[in-house]
């Protein structure tokens, strides 16, 4: 057990899959940690209380804010940005504010603009499921998962170290990088793959026959590659709008690769196609 964390007083704004899994993980390592929650979904709040995860329900986001050691912003990315702008305690808050969104440059910039440059540490857990909501949350979601941290410009090293240690205690592997670098990386390894999965599913939907035979016969490979297309459309709309330039750049590169593959197929260039597959296989096998 990590008794040192039992005295923490935390506020979660939003309690879906990601926030719920952090809260459950914290309760697993420190059962006496106090967790307050602000969340529009009453059913999730009731279930979290029943599970012993939520100790108090907040009706006002700004109520008693200075008393919290850590504030977790766990709403969709654009909502987190609005919430951060509306928090009214920048002058007298000495704790840590973090979030879980998969776009970091904009929210860190907002934090610095509105007065949270000494306490905001952007966060992005590289873990998740295709299903969303508190009911899908688990206390093991972050086991051995990278958890990227993007501190604002004036955050003291001791605050960053504290959050790193806390995340390590729940099984995650924290890594500190810059917000801009983060957004480029995830545009390729997370955001573009989601777009590709959604696009492939829509392709099959539109190409399927009236009897739905494609859907009926879709097997492991198709299901594996399109699993993330069951993720929240609301969340992914916001992510795409928030990291637009990086995603558009990576999408352009991806389209160019698909065009090159199309050229190989049209030219019946088997050896070149084989080399294309070999290069991808070797890199994928190194993961």
């Amino acid at each position: 057990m990590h008794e040192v964390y039992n005295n923490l007083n935390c506020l979660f704004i939003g309690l879906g899959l990601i926030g719920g899994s952090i809260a459950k993980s914290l309760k697993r390592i420190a059962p006496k940690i106090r967790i307050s929650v602000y969340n529009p979904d009453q059913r999730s709040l009731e279930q979290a209380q029943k599970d012993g995860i939520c100790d108090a329900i907040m009706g006002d986001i700004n109520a008693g804010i200075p008393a919290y050691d850590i504030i977790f912003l766990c709403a969709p990315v654009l909502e987190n940005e609005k919430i951060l702008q509306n928090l009214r305690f920048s002058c007298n808050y000495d704790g840590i504010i973090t979030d879980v969104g998969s776009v970091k440059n904009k929210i860190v910039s907002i934090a610095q603009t509105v007065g949270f440059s000494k306490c905001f540490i952007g966060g992005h857990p590289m873990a998740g499921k295709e299903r969303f909501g508190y009911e899908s949350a688990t206390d093991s979601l972050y086991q051995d998962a990278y958890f990227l941290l993007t501190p604002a410009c004036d955050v003291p090293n001791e605050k960053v170290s504290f959050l790193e240690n806390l995340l390590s205690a729940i099984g995650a592997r924290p890594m500190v990088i810059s917000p801009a670098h983060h957004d480029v990386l995830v545009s390729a390894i997370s955001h573009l793959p989601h777009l590709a999965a959604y696009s492939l599913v829509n392709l099959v939907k539109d190409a399927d026959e009236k009897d739905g035979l494609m859907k009926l016969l879709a097997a492991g490979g198709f299901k594996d590659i399109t699993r993330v297309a069951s993720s929240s459309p609301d969340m992914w709309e916001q992510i795409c709008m928030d990291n637009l330039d990086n995603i558009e750049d990576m999408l352009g590169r991806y389209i160019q690769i698909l065009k090159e593959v199309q050229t190989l197929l049209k030219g019946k260039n088997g050896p070149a196609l084989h080399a294309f597959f070999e290069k991808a296989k070797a890199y994928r096998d190194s993961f």
Side-chain angles (χ1 to χ4, degrees):
M1 289 294 184
H2 300 266
E3 290 84 2
V4 64
Y5 301 123
N6 275 322
N7 294 324
L8 288 179
N9 189 12
C10 303
L11 172 64
F12 281 76
I13 300 177
L15 200 70
L17 168 67
I18 301 301
S21 293
I22 294 175
K24 287 185 175 183
S25 298
L26 291 176
K27 282 288 187 179
R28 171 173 54 81
I29 66 165
K32 294 181 180 179
I33 193 171
R34 181 169 176 80
I35 293 178
S36 301
V37 180
Y38 176 89
N39 191 56
D41 185 354
Q42 189 64 34
R43 290 176 301 176
S44 295
L45 290 175
E46 292 172 355
Q47 186 59 52
Q49 281 190 311
K50 184 178 179 181
D51 293 343
I53 302 301
C54 174
D55 298 301
I57 294 175
M58 306 303 296
D60 178 1
I61 292 179
N62 284 285
I65 285 294
Y68 294 109
D69 300 300
I70 307 177
I71 299 169
F72 294 91
L73 306 181
C74 302
V77 289
L78 297 183
E79 293 179 32
N80 280 339
E81 292 167 7
K82 292 177 182 177
I83 290 168
L84 189 61
Q85 289 172 312
N86 291 328
L87 291 177
R88 300 189 297 269
F89 56 93
S90 59
C91 294
N92 61 348
Y93 184 69
D94 194 39
I96 293 172
I97 309 173
T98 187
D99 77 314
V100 297
S102 70
V103 186
K104 296 271 74 82
N105 205 34
K106 187 176 179 182
I107 195 167
V108 172
S109 177
I110 289 172
Q112 293 169 173
T113 299
V114 300
F116 297 128
S117 63
K118 294 182 179 180
C119 60
F120 186 80
I121 304 173
H124 179 201
M126 302 299 289
K129 299 178 181 179
E130 67 273 20
R131 303 300 177 186
F132 48 94
Y134 175 79
E135 62 274 12
S136 299
T138 70
D139 66 1
S140 60
L141 185 64
Y142 305 114
Q143 190 64 44
D144 294 323
Y146 283 104
F147 204 118
L148 304 182
L149 298 177
T150 61
C153 57
D154 298 321
V155 177
N157 289 335
E158 55 266 28
K159 286 189 178 181
V160 177
S161 295
F162 181 87
L163 187 56
E164 287 183 283
N165 291 335
L166 179 63
L167 295 173
S168 295
I170 67 172
R173 302 170 69 180
M175 177 186 294
V176 178
I177 61 175
S178 74
H181 190 198
H182 167 278
D183 288 358
V184 172
L185 293 175
V186 297
S187 69
I189 62 174
S190 176
H191 301 169
L192 179 58
H194 277 79
L195 279 178
Y198 281 115
S199 299
L200 185 54
V201 170
N202 280 328
L203 169 67
V204 171
K205 178 182 180 298
D206 294 340
D208 206 355
E209 301 164 355
K210 289 183 179 180
D211 59 5
L213 197 55
M214 285 186 182
K215 178 181 178 181
L216 177 67
L217 297 178
F222 182 83
K223 290 180 179 178
D224 287 344
I225 201 171
T226 61
R227 176 184 59 83
V228 294
S230 290
S231 302
S232 167
D234 292 338
M235 178 180 72
W236 279 99
E237 176 191 356
Q238 294 192 24
I239 289 171
C240 288
M241 292 300 98
D242 223 33
N243 200 23
L244 200 60
D245 291 342
N246 288 317
I247 295 174
E248 187 176 4
D249 176 61
M250 289 297 171
L251 181 59
R253 298 189 197 187
Y254 184 47
I255 290 171
Q256 183 57 41
I257 290 175
L258 291 177
K259 287 181 177 178
E260 292 171 3
V261 172
Q262 186 180 43
T263 298
L264 296 180
L265 291 171
K266 284 184 176 180
K268 299 180 180 179
N269 192 340
L273 196 61
H274 186 274
F276 175 81
F277 294 151
E278 282 284 3
K279 182 174 72 170
K281 181 183 184 304
Y283 185 63
R284 179 63 179 83
D285 289 348
S286 72
F287 284 15

